[in-house]
Amino acid sequence: MKEQKNIPTTKTERSAKFVKTGFQIGGNYIKHYSKKLFNPDLSRDELNEDNANDIYNSLSELKGSALKIAQMLSMDKNMLPKSYVDKFTQSQYNAPPLSGPLIVQTFTKNFGKSPTQIFDTFKLQSTNAASIGQVHEAQLNGKKLAVKIQYPGVGDSISSDLKLVKPFAFRLLGMSEKELNIYIKEVEERLLEETDYELEVRRSIQFSNACKDLHNIVFPVYYPEYSGKRIITMDWIEGLHLKEFLKTQPSQQLCNKIGQAMWDFYNFQQHELRAVHADPHPGNFLITPDEKLGIIDFGCIKELPDDFYVPFFSLISSDVIKDKQKTIAAFRQLDMIQEKDNASQIEFYYKAYREMIELFARPYTSKTFDFSKPAFFEQLYAYGETIAKMPEFKQARGVKHFIYVNRTNFGLYSILHELKAVVQTDTYQPKV
């Protein structure tokens, strides 16, 4: 993949990039409607593909929060046309890497020394480049290390980038401005945390210690003395990302084993720690040669406060959903039903959200669940598409915590579906 020699870091440079992309998209629409004059039955497939390419190429050059949005959207398969999902999925594994000289410059600026002054060896060519940083292989005292270096300007451009990405999000998602602002604010808070690598190291050590007794899961050792505000050094974990792992045609028994480890990892955190690794895209996991699940990124953590956790998981794991008045009371707590709603609106949202919750909670309703069955996911995506088209859901509903909790659990479900895993789902249950 071609290396990127610079990143636009100033607000002016980044704004200009968005403006240029806006003009390209406008040109794509003109081209599409010109063709449609001669072919009224022309689909939007080519238009979506052209727009997806232009938007992704722009975001991948900007890195940071702009590219992170693409990564998140690629996981919400019912929110975007397939062309966008296919293109944005690249950000889960590989974005264009920065050139060697720029990495040395970034490393020296943040650490006061060049990589070769600290490590015995340091490979300038990255092994993995994603939205916020890229990973390099290093050696020190005979130990193989992974050194994650944040792209320059990423932490300083989050707020301005998210304002610039809004017009694209309006067009792609069809959200109301109020709903989008709630989404953007929550994303901004998490991204500001995600660019603080000193915080990530502390959390990585904390969470890996808390989860150390879970079966078939491994974590790298972290080295605070070789880490900083924009640099993280950890043990190198050998393994394959999910896509590479599945190409090896693993046995179903092994897929079930990895799927069980994934399920336990997430539900232990949600229900025992009340805080969860909220970035479940496949690039954050490795399947090791000794058949374990390696967790290599704790940048995005979502805490679950009691006033969200209790009503939400009581709907999923208890008999509350069978009691209409208790269900409505929980929906009010979660701002899914609001003060201004009249009787007919209350009834409408009660039925719609109850159907949604019952579908989402299906894996929790039995001791085991087979995530290979396509029917469950077809229902999930179909219901998501139906909801997205309803005018009643164009306005913001639900507390902000849903954004990352839904992303976490649907991301988990999607990975388990790719594994075609059958897992025991009663290992770590909600505590309400």
Side-chain angles (χ1 to χ4, degrees):
M1 185 179 290
K2 187 178 179 181
E3 288 186 337
Q4 189 172 332
K5 298 189 183 303
N6 59 71
I7 294 179
T9 55
T10 69
K11 187 176 179 179
T12 302
E13 289 173 327
R14 297 176 79 81
S15 297
K17 190 69 183 172
F18 275 102
V19 170
K20 180 183 176 184
T21 306
F23 280 126
Q24 289 173 318
I25 291 170
N28 293 340
Y29 274 94
I30 291 170
K31 182 173 71 174
H32 170 73
Y33 287 114
S34 297
K35 289 183 178 181
K36 203 167 176 68
L37 289 172
F38 300 98
N39 180 8
D41 298 326
L42 184 69
S43 75
R44 291 172 64 95
D45 290 348
E46 185 181 355
L47 172 63
N48 287 336
E49 193 167 332
D50 288 344
N51 284 346
N53 279 324
D54 288 336
I55 292 172
Y56 177 76
N57 289 339
S58 176
L59 298 185
S60 64
E61 286 183 33
L62 291 167
K63 311 289 190 190
S65 50
L67 188 55
K68 194 75 178 179
I69 295 291
Q71 185 188 87
M72 292 170 68
L73 292 174
S74 71
M75 295 163 62
D76 293 322
K77 293 180 174 60
N78 63 319
M79 294 181 76
L80 295 176
K82 185 176 183 297
S83 300
Y84 289 95
V85 173
D86 290 346
K87 195 68 185 175
F88 290 2
T89 297
Q90 292 182 30
S91 65
Q92 295 181 8
Y93 294 96
N94 255 317
L98 295 190
S99 65
L102 189 54
I103 282 298
V104 172
Q105 177 186 331
T106 304
F107 194 100
T108 304
K109 181 179 178 181
N110 286 278
F111 217 70
K113 297 178 181 179
S114 70
T116 52
Q117 288 177 300
I118 295 175
F119 304 108
D120 297 333
T121 63
F122 182 89
K123 289 188 177 179
L124 278 180
Q125 187 174 9
S126 71
T127 58
N128 182 273
S131 53
I132 289 180
Q134 62 187 49
V135 177
H136 294 256
E137 182 185 326
Q139 294 268 352
L140 183 64
N141 300 326
K143 186 180 284 285
K144 191 175 180 181
L145 303 172
V147 183
K148 184 162 72 169
I149 301 176
Q150 192 173 123
Y151 301 127
V154 164
D156 300 325
S157 63
I158 289 171
S159 298
S160 57
D161 271 4
L162 292 178
K163 288 175 184 173
L164 292 168
V165 91
K166 268 188 183 184
F168 296 102
F170 275 132
R171 186 179 289 274
L172 287 175
L173 304 180
M175 288 181 175
S176 69
E177 184 171 2
K178 181 183 176 186
E179 184 177 32
L180 188 62
N181 284 339
I182 292 172
Y183 186 93
I184 293 290
K185 182 64 178 172
E186 176 73 354
V187 169
E188 182 178 353
E189 289 175 9
R190 300 285 77 74
L191 285 173
L192 286 169
E193 291 180 353
E194 212 167 334
T195 56
D196 184 347
Y197 278 4
E198 290 173 331
L199 174 63
E200 181 174 341
V201 169
R202 292 195 299 273
R203 280 177 163 173
S204 298
I205 294 170
Q206 175 191 352
F207 274 76
S208 54
N209 284 335
C211 299
K212 68 180 187 301
D213 293 329
L214 295 175
H215 296 304
N216 301 315
I217 292 179
V218 293
F219 306 97
V221 174
Y222 291 83
Y223 299 94
E225 65 271 31
Y226 302 119
S227 302
K229 189 81 174 168
R230 303 289 183 241
I231 296 167
I232 296 177
T233 300
M234 68 190 92
D235 281 346
W236 184 277
I237 291 186
E238 298 289 351
L240 300 175
H241 288 300
L242 181 66
K243 189 185 295 184
E244 301 164 329
F245 171 70
L246 292 175
K247 285 179 181 177
T248 68
Q249 298 183 316
S251 68
Q252 190 55 54
Q253 183 180 9
L254 176 53
C255 288
N256 290 347
K257 179 181 176 180
I258 298 301
Q260 187 68 56
M262 185 79 73
W263 176 270
D264 290 347
F265 173 66
Y266 273 99
N267 281 281
F268 174 80
Q269 289 173 88
Q270 287 189 123
H271 308 309
E272 301 295 328
L273 305 181
R274 297 284 181 92
V276 65
H277 176 293
D279 198 5
H281 74 77
N284 283 339
F285 307 101
L286 293 169
I287 293 86
T288 66
D290 58 350
E291 301 182 350
K292 294 186 178 181
L293 179 68
I295 316 290
I296 56 175
D297 190 309
F298 277 99
C300 184
I301 298 295
K302 174 62 185 171
E303 296 182 356
L304 308 180
D306 286 351
D307 59 359
F308 170 80
Y309 178 90
V310 173
F312 179 65
F313 282 103
S314 69
L315 290 165
I316 287 173
S317 62
S318 69
D319 290 335
V320 167
I321 199 75
K322 296 178 182 177
D323 185 314
K324 183 174 182 178
Q325 294 311 310
K326 287 182 180 179
T327 298
I328 290 175
F331 287 166
R332 288 189 185 278
Q333 276 186 274
L334 296 167
D335 203 33
M336 299 157 79
I337 290 177
Q338 300 175 347
E339 284 284 324
K340 64 182 184 333
D341 292 337
N342 59 37
S344 63
Q345 287 173 314
I346 290 171
E347 186 65 18
F348 170 82
Y349 287 114
Y350 163 70
K351 289 179 178 177
Y353 282 127
R354 176 178 170 166
E355 184 177 350
M356 184 189 299
I357 292 285
E358 287 180 330
L359 183 58
F360 171 81
R362 199 172 292 169
Y364 285 90
T365 58
S366 58
K367 289 187 176 182
T368 61
F369 192 80
D370 185 350
F371 284 92
S372 72
K373 300 289 177 65
F376 173 64
F377 291 89
E378 287 167 3
Q379 284 182 272
L380 275 178
Y381 297 143
Y383 195 78
E385 287 177 8
T386 301
I387 289 289
K389 293 172 184 174
M390 288 183 177
E392 293 88 350
F393 288 95
K394 287 299 180 187
Q395 297 302 312
R397 284 191 178 261
V399 293
K400 67 178 184 177
H401 306 295
F402 276 115
I403 294 166
Y404 276 88
V405 171
N406 286 350
R407 176 194 181 207
T408 297
N409 284 285
F410 282 118
L412 169 64
Y413 287 8
S414 295
I415 292 175
L416 294 174
H417 183 48
E418 288 192 65
L419 287 165
K420 295 182 170 53
V422 178
V423 302
Q424 185 181 344
T425 53
D426 65 350
T427 48
Y428 296 98
Q429 293 188 318
K431 295 185 174 181
V432 292

